[in-house]
Amino acid sequence: MEAVIAATINIFTTSVIRYFLLAGIPFVLFYWLFPRKNSQRKIQQRLAAKKDFLREVWHSMTSTLVFTVISVVILFTPVRNITQLYTNINDYPIWYIGVSLVLTLIVHDTYFYWMHRIMHHPALFKRTHLVHHQSTNPSPWTSYSFHVLEAIVEGGVLLVITVMMPLHPLTVLLFTVTGFIINVYGHLGYELMPRWYRNTWAFELFNTSVHHNLHHSKFKGNYGLYFRVWDRLMGTEHPDYVKEYDKVQARRFPVAAAA
């Protein structure tokens, strides 16, 4: 029991530090130190209030606690017996770490898309997902700002991926870090993609900060997390997405737009 308590404290502490580093550094850079320098990258020109940031951090801490409990349950209770977690990294080829990471992100995107759409059902939205959508002008702090019940469902993907496929704890760590970095970018409030990105195959596949920002401002459409695939297949991508993306990029690169 003492080992479980110690592990819980360690996981929670590490997760909190990770949150404040990975969300805090972009926040400091874009919202405190260089807001004018990056003003052309700002997706919504208005600014969120300090009370919004404080609310987001508070809910993010409760979400982090929920994610910690889920991790402890998977790692230190009989639930682990139904997972395919392995501790000997040599049980599978080293390259499998990278392959399994990609697979976890694909599974997570599918899980998130359908969970997200369900959360927008009127019977659930006001009771759960509304907490996240209080941030109509999201910031990096928004990334984990969930109602407790939504955090439980969000964190449930850890059980799904560990049951579905063999995963080393290193892969799980890389999955949580990679997913959070992408999540911070989606909620950043600033578009970072370079000028040339618009005409690549990647633009057709991956989401951008504008993509998810539009979901926060319009409340409908753009339910995907990492990819545009499910939104395009199911006809739920917001019809103004490409136009809004081009508008932001035209503001950033006026000479190129004029040409």
Side-chain angles (χ1 to χ4, degrees):
M1 188 62 182
E2 291 182 2
V4 173
I5 294 174
T8 302
I9 294 173
N10 288 336
I11 293 173
F12 179 72
T13 302
T14 302
S15 299
V16 169
I17 293 172
R18 182 183 66 196
Y19 171 80
F20 280 105
L21 283 176
L22 297 183
I25 291 174
F27 182 82
V28 169
L29 290 175
F30 286 90
Y31 289 80
W32 281 2
L33 295 181
F34 308 111
R36 291 185 179 180
K37 184 177 180 180
N38 290 291
S39 62
Q40 299 305 311
R41 299 174 183 266
K42 190 79 169 65
I43 298 168
Q44 298 184 43
Q45 293 302 293
R46 64 188 180 89
L47 298 175
K50 181 179 179 180
K51 65 178 182 180
D52 295 314
F53 303 144
L54 293 175
R55 183 193 69 250
E56 292 166 349
V57 171
W58 167 253
H59 285 298
S60 293
M61 290 300 97
T62 60
S63 296
T64 300
L65 181 58
V66 169
F67 298 154
T68 297
V69 171
I70 291 173
S71 298
V72 170
V73 168
I74 292 174
L75 293 172
F76 299 102
T77 74
V79 171
R80 178 160 184 156
N81 296 329
I82 67 172
T83 72
Q84 298 189 62
L85 286 167
Y86 65 95
T87 54
N88 184 354
I89 200 167
N90 295 314
D91 284 351
Y92 291 85
I94 294 299
W95 54 259
Y96 179 69
I97 296 292
V99 171
S100 58
L101 174 60
V102 172
L103 291 175
T104 59
L105 294 173
I106 293 173
V107 171
H108 188 201
D109 186 73
T110 299
Y111 177 95
F112 182 88
Y113 174 84
W114 291 104
M115 177 274 297
H116 196 183
R117 284 195 66 177
I118 291 170
M119 285 288 177
H120 274 264
H121 188 282
L124 293 174
F125 184 82
K126 289 185 178 180
R127 293 178 175 86
T128 56
H129 197 47
L130 179 59
V131 168
H132 190 65
H133 270 283
Q134 284 180 288
S135 304
T136 55
N137 191 7
S139 77
W141 303 125
T142 314
S143 304
Y144 272 5
S145 181
F146 305 125
H147 186 281
V148 171
L149 293 179
E150 181 174 357
I152 294 172
V153 179
E154 293 268 5
V157 72
L158 283 174
L159 181 61
V160 172
I161 62 174
T162 53
V163 169
M164 282 186 64
M165 67 189 86
L167 293 175
H168 188 274
L170 174 60
T171 306
V172 177
L173 175 63
L174 291 173
F175 164 73
T176 57
V177 172
T178 302
F180 187 65
I181 290 173
I182 298 173
N183 199 4
V184 168
Y185 164 61
H187 292 95
L188 183 62
Y190 291 80
E191 187 51 71
L192 305 181
M193 288 297 132
R195 180 192 310 168
W196 50 262
Y197 183 76
R198 174 67 171 81
N199 298 314
T200 65
W201 61 267
F203 177 78
E204 303 299 327
L205 177 62
F206 297 105
N207 287 343
T208 63
S209 194
V210 172
H211 191 277
H212 194 67
N213 194 283
L214 195 60
H215 175 78
H216 273 264
S217 63
K218 302 297 184 182
F219 280 51
K220 290 185 178 181
N222 297 4
Y223 298 106
L225 181 59
Y226 307 127
F227 310 112
R228 295 175 64 186
V229 176
W230 279 110
D231 277 307
R232 300 181 81 175
L233 283 175
M234 303 308 298
T236 55
E237 185 167 84
H238 197 285
D240 292 337
Y241 165 54
V242 175
K243 180 178 69 176
E244 289 300 316
Y245 178 87
D246 287 344
K247 184 186 298 183
V248 172
Q249 296 297 65
R251 189 166 64 241
R252 291 178 62 196
F253 309 112
V255 175

